[in-house]
Amino acid sequence: MFSIDTLFSFLQVRYALSDRFHQELIETQNHGDSVTQFLLNTLRLKEEELKELYCQALHLEVFLFRDFLADEKLSRWIDAEMAAKWVCLPLSLQGNVLKIAVDDPFNLQIDKTIQFNYNFQPSVILIARKDWKRIYQQLYGQTAPAFFSDVPSDSQEAASLSAVSAPEQDELTAIFQAAVSERATDIHFEPLEKGLRIRFRVDGELHIHRVYAEECKYTFLSRLKLWAGLNIAEKRLPQDGQFTRVIQTEEIDMRLSTLPLIHGEKAVVRLLRRVLLLSSFQELGMSERVAGTFQKLIQASHGMILVCGPTASGKTTTLYTTLQQIDRERKNVVTIEDPVEYHLAGINQVQVNPKIEFGFARGLRSVLRQDPNIIFVGEIRDTETAEAALQAALTGHLVFSTLHTNDAPGAIIRLLEMGLEPYLIASTLTGILSQRLIRLACPHCSSFKPADSRTYKHYFPAGKNTPLPMIRETTGCAKCGGTGYIGRTGVFELLPYSDELRALTLEKADITVLRAAAQRAGMIPFYLDAFEKCFHGDTTLSEVFKLLPQKNQPKRG
Ligand SMILES: [Zn+2]
């Protein structure tokens, strides 16, 4: 019949659907379930809207009741039972072409049966369900059976159909539960022109969870805002807040932010798991070499250690793993965060609140009066915080913080650009760790093939006489939701701050000079770390290429 891929490409443009959704579509078809019903439920479309989409995507037409010419012989080719089961109807037979009206143009069984039983060529036209019912009654002389949408056939459909009438709290809890089961880090509530789309971020990528009816735009948002203590009536300004929910016996902090968009308010809920699951640098993905050097750096009694990378690159997880390595009984460890992401026994965690003018810089000044040894400043966002953090490092404290820069040498430039005295940076900084997260290849759908020799020699000139490593390639399967990946790991570059770099900082040297000195100081760029992981079979080459600077990207073709 018609290609699911064609339909998917068409829908993807409109609804920004994920590969996972594509996989679900294929599975629905392979299971012999109705693709039409699946789309009605998940995209929350009206039947007419969906059939209109079919017409455009597949160049189909809709058959109208008034055009039907009753002919008793027709029921010989498709009997009442088959017509009811697959929601189809025989319309006419010309030569060996049987014209069939269908509700689901992706039903493979209808084609097969017609061809196998009668050697007829099926010709397909769409039909509205109400017209199907009327013709069914006329042709077979009996009332059409109730639709599967009238009587939900399984729990997923039932949940979907009850979404509108169920109290929004239950539905939101169900969304949170699904998000936790799928290891989502963020939930997006996005207003569409009609309806509300829910997307999950899993392993760094967004995919659609479900689309809800129009009224959920308001009920869901109001409920979320109520939980987070926000102003429900305020819909024109962005707001943010926080609340806690127990999901599957785990207490999870939910950080809510809202933003007014043209079709209504959008909300993003970030899930903050309080329990840290990783306990060693190796588990984070650090190589023995990086872990060893980093371990030495964190033994210092004072100085500043920075962890860099974009948002959601695992910086806080790395620093909490670091705090776990520290003797928390004999040292006073204080964190200053917005929000506090993990709960760790034996340390003092301060939640700053810029709304009441209790920001990072002020929090840091208060903490310094509390006799700390080790301070973790959640993020350096401004000059005031940077200066206070470096001063603290200068006066005998070990300070950890995070900075949004692309690489480790870039952190020095960033601090200089913030207007900090070069001597303050040079005399306090001890190390900079920069990191990214890459997805781990799904072991259930991967195969190995030798690395492309040109690529390998290009990035590893030293290894030109060694055998080519084997590289994992994935196709996607049910276990990985069709993505080819399960879970993520970190890739790292560690820059021990050398005397040469100190001198260059005082000279305010530019980034190229700093990078060269960084490599002399022993820094291995994180993309090489990623290649190592790829050659070790942890990930695919395409994940590694995503990390490469533009100029180093492999040429296509
Ligand atoms: Zn897989």
Side-chain angles (χ1 to χ4, degrees), residues 36-44 157 160-161 210-211:
T36 298
Q37 193 58 39
F38 173 77
L39 289 171
L40 288 177
N41 288 349
T42 51
L43 298 181
R44 283 250 148 223
E157 273 179 16
S160 172
L161 288 165
R210 194 174 287 176
V211 176

Side-chain angles (χ1 to χ4, degrees), residues 294-432:
F294 195 61
Q295 190 75 50
K296 276 188 207 127
L297 281 175
I298 67 169
Q299 303 304 323
S301 62
H302 59 90
M304 165 72 105
I305 294 172
L306 288 173
V307 177
C308 305
T311 307
S313 56
K315 301 187 291 286
T316 306
T317 308
T318 299
L319 281 171
Y320 264 93
T321 306
T322 306
L323 296 181
Q324 283 186 317
Q325 318 286 314
I326 282 165
D327 182 352
R328 309 194 292 278
E329 222 175 281
R330 295 155 66 103
K331 291 197 166 142
N332 181 12
V333 181
V334 188
T335 75
I336 307 162
E337 297 170 86
D338 178 25
V340 171
E341 293 197 23
Y342 296 110
H343 288 204
L344 184 60
I347 65 171
N348 306 285
Q349 297 172 288
V350 178
Q351 163 96 52
V352 295
N353 187 348
K355 268 187 228 154
I356 51 167
E357 314 219 322
F358 182 47
F360 281 115
R362 185 167 166 196
L364 190 48
R365 283 193 294 274
S366 313
V367 161
L368 284 169
R369 290 190 285 270
Q370 297 254 322
D371 185 30
N373 298 107
I374 292 162
I375 308 167
F376 165 33
V377 182
E379 191 187 330
I380 292 180
R381 288 179 196 163
D382 52 56
T383 309
E384 196 190 0
T385 308
E387 206 156 60
L390 288 177
Q391 284 292 351
L394 191 66
T395 52
H397 307 97
L398 182 60
V399 181
F400 294 100
S401 192
T402 69
L403 205 57
H404 280 244
T405 64
N406 286 332
D407 60 4
I412 301 170
I413 299 285
R414 185 77 216 283
L415 292 174
L416 286 168
E417 280 172 357
M418 286 178 134
L420 295 169
E421 292 295 338
Y423 86 88
L424 192 57
I425 304 169
S427 49
T428 52
L429 208 55
T430 56
I432 308 167

Side-chain angles (χ1 to χ4, degrees), residues 85-341:
K85 190 173 167 200
W86 291 325
V87 198
C88 60
L89 285 170
L91 295 176
S92 65
L93 179 67
Q94 287 182 330
N96 75 332
V97 177
L98 184 67
K99 192 169 180 183
I100 307 169
V102 298
D103 175 62
D104 177 12
F106 301 97
N107 185 323
L108 302 166
Q109 303 303 318
I110 301 174
D111 268 24
K112 268 191 212 151
T113 310
I114 297 298
Q115 288 180 354
F116 182 76
N117 287 351
Y118 313 111
N119 204 19
F120 286 156
Q121 210 46 50
S123 154
V124 164
I125 189 164
L126 291 171
I127 190 163
R129 288 181 173 181
K130 63 172 176 20
D131 283 353
W132 175 81
K133 283 186 181 177
R134 291 168 79 183
I135 297 176
Y136 185 94
Q137 183 145 17
Q138 201 172 329
L139 190 64
Y140 301 110
Q142 49 184 282
T143 311
F147 261 105
F148 25 75
S149 60
D150 303 342
V151 186
S153 63
D154 64 38
S155 60
Q156 196 191 345
E157 273 179 16
S160 172
L161 288 165
S162 65
V164 186
S165 55
E168 71 278 6
Q169 290 105 309
D170 294 351
E171 201 52 40
L172 283 168
T173 303
I175 292 171
F176 292 150
Q177 279 167 349
V180 169
S181 311
E182 294 185 28
R183 300 176 292 112
T185 51
D186 304 79
I187 308 172
H188 291 234
F189 296 79
E190 297 170 306
L192 305 172
E193 197 179 346
K194 276 210 173 97
L196 178 74
R197 181 173 72 176
I198 312 285
R199 290 198 287 172
F200 290 170
R201 188 177 292 284
V202 179
D203 294 339
E205 307 230 329
L206 282 170
H207 70 88
I208 291 189
H209 171 60
R210 194 174 287 176
V211 176
Y212 283 91
E214 176 73 4
E215 58 264 36
C216 298
K217 266 188 197 173
Y218 312 103
T219 54
F220 283 14
L221 262 285
S222 301
R223 178 57 56 184
L224 288 170
K225 285 158 98 174
L226 200 67
W227 279 339
L230 305 183
N231 180 355
I232 294 180
E234 179 56 78
K235 295 187 170 92
R236 296 156 308 164
L237 288 173
Q239 300 186 67
D240 60 276
Q242 215 176 327
F243 57 95
T244 303
R245 278 286 164 283
V246 176
I247 307 292
Q248 293 163 10
T249 72
E250 184 187 345
E251 198 171 52
I252 297 179
D253 290 331
M254 311 266 181
R255 192 189 199 192
L256 170 71
S257 70
T258 67
L259 187 67
L261 302 181
I262 53 167
H263 295 310
E265 274 182 293
K266 164 163 179 166
V268 176
V269 174
R270 166 155 282 199
L271 307 180
L272 302 168
R273 318 291 291 265
R274 292 180 170 195
V275 184
L276 189 63
L277 302 167
L278 301 167
S279 56
S280 74
F281 293 137
Q282 281 80 3
E283 278 178 87
L284 291 176
M286 277 190 202
S287 65
E288 296 295 328
R289 194 175 154 278
V290 168
T293 314
F294 195 61
Q295 190 75 50
K296 276 188 207 127
L297 281 175
I298 67 169
Q299 303 304 323
S301 62
H302 59 90
M304 165 72 105
I305 294 172
L306 288 173
V307 177
C308 305
T311 307
S313 56
K315 301 187 291 286
T316 306
T317 308
T318 299
L319 281 171
Y320 264 93
T321 306
T322 306
L323 296 181
Q324 283 186 317
Q325 318 286 314
I326 282 165
D327 182 352
R328 309 194 292 278
E329 222 175 281
R330 295 155 66 103
K331 291 197 166 142
N332 181 12
V333 181
V334 188
T335 75
I336 307 162
E337 297 170 86
D338 178 25
V340 171
E341 293 197 23

Side-chain angles (χ1 to χ4, degrees), residues 442 445 476-477 480:
C442 170
C445 60
C477 64
C480 58

